[in-house]
Amino acid sequence: MSNLQELDTYFTENRETHLEELKEFLRIPSISALSEHKADMQKAADWLKDSLTTAGIEKVEVLPTKGHPVVYGEWMHAKGKPTILFYGHYDVQPVDPLNLWETEPFDPQIRENKLFARGASDDKGQVFMHIKAVEAWMKTTGSLPVNMKFIIEGEEEIGSPSLEAFIEENKEKLASDIIVISDTGMQAKGKPAVCYGLRGLAGVQIDVKGAKGDLHSGLYGGSVQNAIHALVQVLDSFRAENGKILVDGFYDSVLEATEEEKEAYKALNVDEEAIKKELQVPALFGEEGYSHLERTWTRPTLEINGVFGGFSGEGIKTVLPNEAGAKITCRLVPNQEPDEIVQLLKAHIDKNTLPGVTISVTEFDKGKPFLTPFDHPAIQAAGASYEKVYNVPTAYIRGGGSIPIVAAFDDILQVPVILMGFGLAEENFHAPNEHFHLENFDQGLRVIGDYYESIAGFKPDELKK
């Protein structure tokens, strides 16, 4: 019997036990955003310590940070073999609105082969799978095919404020050949995907200040600048009618998608008509010359997220508003630097400010984009492991969103990051009735087990970026 057949037997025979253990983990209300759950955060970290130790991971520690603790462990006895650093998080989102949950969020229930609970998909279920894959290798063969390190944090859902400093301070402890993260999703049900890139983020707030207060439009209209008109002038100057961003220098550093990537996206056969129907919009819109996937995965954006100012109550109020504002975010692609983009935005705003007002810009969220080369052997090996288990071709995708800590791993540790997710977009993570499809729990365990063995077939030098 091969190693993988033994793993399959182990997962089958222990499925119910594993699900009960996962339910224990999910019962802990480890909500990082709420201070009243501080003790629960510690409880979840301690639970992970025990689980990793039971699985066979050594030197397991619960390490303090300025916020919630990090759980670390390692197994380093595969001489000459690559080292995988697995990253995940044990914190979860708040559960509001509670009345929309069909069952209690921290009382895990299985219905229609789906496990319902807060954290089931994001990210406790996916973290647990890697622990059980390690356990399966240890129980069936007595060792792992690769060296393994685990870092599991408790602040991902609040932006990982303590983790970047922790990584910087522990670079030697975290040294590895690749980083594996299971906190993303598949392309669709039954369609696995490896995500090899994410967009970055730069956000600002624009505040426009005019006269000392709101003015009567009959007494001052036409003679004093209206703060909302001045704001609209700036906002309209950001983009052309065809979707092109008009900020000088905005595209200068953009790394274009390769022809191979573009062909891979075409092969996914995304139905743009179905997207329009689902979103109930008459047309999709974006930068000319690019498909929907290219626009959302490989091109930068500038979006107005909110506008405020003036009178918006019932009826009409004849005033010249003295203040107005807007919130702007830009999704960034590889080679774009958030700090540089913010400076370009400031220069553009200054250039387009009308007389009679002053404009201030406040910087908010920032995160660098991330990209592991499409043809990297660790990426391709992940795809092969998915295909072996799911028996369908793996999609190689980028994500349109941002996970800033991924870019921090990439930047600080300088090793490839592989995003192997098993969630589905329909699983309500961050919303009521979050759940995890157990078919992906079952198949995902086997994919992970196979992937560890696949990576063992490479020399560490072959996995360098």
Side-chain angles (χ1 to χ4, degrees):
M1 185 181 291
S2 70
N3 288 334
L4 296 180
Q5 288 174 321
E6 289 188 52
L7 293 181
D8 182 76
T9 299
Y10 183 82
F11 291 137
T12 299
E13 292 178 348
N14 291 277
R15 185 178 191 266
E16 295 308 313
T17 299
H18 291 166
L19 287 175
E20 288 305 313
E21 291 175 8
L22 176 54
K23 287 179 181 179
E24 285 181 15
F25 191 22
L26 293 170
R27 289 189 184 102
I28 304 171
S30 48
I31 304 173
S32 54
L34 303 178
S35 59
E36 61 261 37
H37 289 283
K38 184 176 181 179
D40 294 314
M41 298 301 297
Q42 184 66 49
K43 183 178 180 180
D46 291 338
W47 189 96
L48 279 170
K49 179 182 178 181
D50 292 342
S51 185
L52 285 165
T53 301
T54 299
I57 296 297
E58 301 170 348
K59 299 181 180 179
V60 184
E61 306 171 86
V62 177
L63 300 170
T65 71
K66 290 182 179 179
H68 299 302
V70 164
V71 182
Y72 174 84
E74 64 181 49
W75 189 92
M76 299 294 292
H77 302 295
K79 188 176 181 180
K81 297 296 184 180
T83 298
I84 296 174
L85 173 63
F86 172 78
Y87 161 82
H89 64 93
Y90 63 86
D91 64 321
V92 300
Q93 283 278 325
V95 298
D96 306 281
L98 190 59
N99 64 298
L100 295 183
W101 286 81
E102 293 181 19
T103 53
E104 291 296 318
F106 296 108
D107 180 18
Q109 302 288 329
I110 295 175
R111 302 192 298 273
E112 299 178 347
N113 205 34
K114 302 170 189 175
L115 177 59
F116 286 79
R118 173 59 89 227
S121 179
D122 180 22
D123 181 40
K124 287 181 175 180
Q126 300 197 57
V127 167
F128 182 81
M129 289 160 65
H130 281 267
I131 298 173
K132 290 299 133 179
V134 165
E135 180 183 287
W137 271 102
M138 296 298 290
K139 294 291 187 181
T140 58
T141 70
S143 64
L144 298 178
V146 291
N147 298 298
M148 286 291 303
K149 295 181 179 180
F150 281 80
I151 175 173
I152 307 172
E153 70 154 321
E155 297 185 328
E156 195 274 344
E157 299 293 6
I158 55 173
S160 302
S162 306
L163 191 60
E164 188 166 345
F166 181 90
I167 298 169
E168 194 73 62
E169 293 164 6
N170 291 275
K171 284 194 287 188
E172 186 174 341
K173 180 189 285 284
L174 301 175
S176 53
D177 297 299
I178 64 170
I179 298 168
V180 173
I181 299 175
S182 292
D183 192 18
T184 52
M186 303 188 12
Q187 184 192 1
K189 191 172 184 179
K191 296 181 179 180
V194 179
C195 182
Y196 64 94
L198 296 168
R199 292 194 288 189
L201 184 68
V204 300
Q205 179 170 312
I206 303 169
D207 289 290
V208 181
K209 181 72 167 66
K212 63 180 182 179
D214 288 353
L215 302 177
H216 191 291
S217 65
L219 296 177
Y220 294 99
S223 181
V224 176
Q225 186 61 264
N226 182 315
I228 292 180
H229 281 295
L231 175 65
V232 169
Q233 172 74 19
V234 171
L235 299 182
D236 187 55
S237 72
F238 280 132
R239 279 195 337 196
E241 289 184 2
N242 64 4
K244 183 178 179 181
I245 297 166
L246 300 177
V247 176
D248 289 342
F250 191 85
Y251 293 104
D252 287 358
S253 300
V254 169
L255 180 66
E256 298 284 344
T258 66
E259 288 304 315
E260 184 182 11
E261 288 177 284
K262 291 180 181 181
E263 288 302 315
Y265 302 160
K266 287 181 184 177
L268 296 176
N269 294 317
V270 171
D271 187 343
E272 295 193 2
E273 289 299 318
I275 294 172
K276 288 193 296 184
K277 185 176 181 180
E278 179 189 352
L279 299 179
Q280 299 180 23
V281 294
L284 298 179
F285 171 80
E287 194 179 355
E288 282 186 337
Y290 297 93
S291 68
H292 169 71
L293 289 184
E294 289 173 304
R295 290 170 181 166
T296 55
W297 290 354
T298 74
R299 301 302 294 170
T301 68
L302 188 157
E303 299 290 351
I304 302 167
N305 308 120
V307 179
F308 47 92
F311 176 73
S312 58
E314 185 177 356
I316 196 165
K317 185 179 182 182
T318 54
V319 296
L320 301 182
N322 74 314
E323 293 182 336
K327 295 180 185 290
I328 306 290
T329 52
C330 298
R331 295 290 178 176
L332 310 180
V333 297
N335 288 0
Q336 287 186 303
E337 290 287 334
D339 288 332
E340 181 181 349
I341 293 299
V342 168
Q343 294 310 310
L344 294 177
L345 292 177
K346 288 181 176 179
H348 181 89
I349 292 166
D350 185 61
K351 179 181 174 181
N352 288 275
T353 298
L354 293 175
V357 297
T358 56
I359 295 184
S360 61
V361 177
T362 304
E363 301 178 23
F364 284 104
D365 295 354
K366 292 180 186 175
K368 291 184 179 181
F370 137 80
L371 184 70
T372 292
F374 176 66
D375 58 355
H376 190 280
I379 293 286
Q380 295 299 313
S385 290
Y386 275 116
E387 289 179 14
K388 186 181 293 186
V389 175
Y390 281 86
N391 295 312
V392 296
T394 300
Y396 296 91
I397 66 175
R398 294 199 203 182
S402 307
I403 308 177
I405 201 60
V406 173
F409 273 120
D410 182 54
D411 192 43
I412 297 169
L413 299 183
Q414 295 286 305
V415 296
V417 180
I418 292 82
L419 300 174
M420 296 181 66
F422 299 93
L424 294 174
E426 65 204 58
E427 290 178 336
N428 290 356
F429 38 85
H430 291 208
N433 301 309
E434 179 180 350
H435 57 279
F436 192 25
H437 284 68
L438 292 181
E439 64 194 65
N440 291 327
F441 174 81
D442 295 327
Q443 292 176 295
L445 286 166
R446 290 154 176 84
V447 171
I448 295 166
D450 182 78
Y451 187 61
Y452 291 171
E453 187 166 67
S454 295
I455 293 300
F458 294 98
K459 295 178 181 178
D461 285 349
E462 293 176 315
L463 297 174
K464 288 183 177 179
K465 291 186 70 174

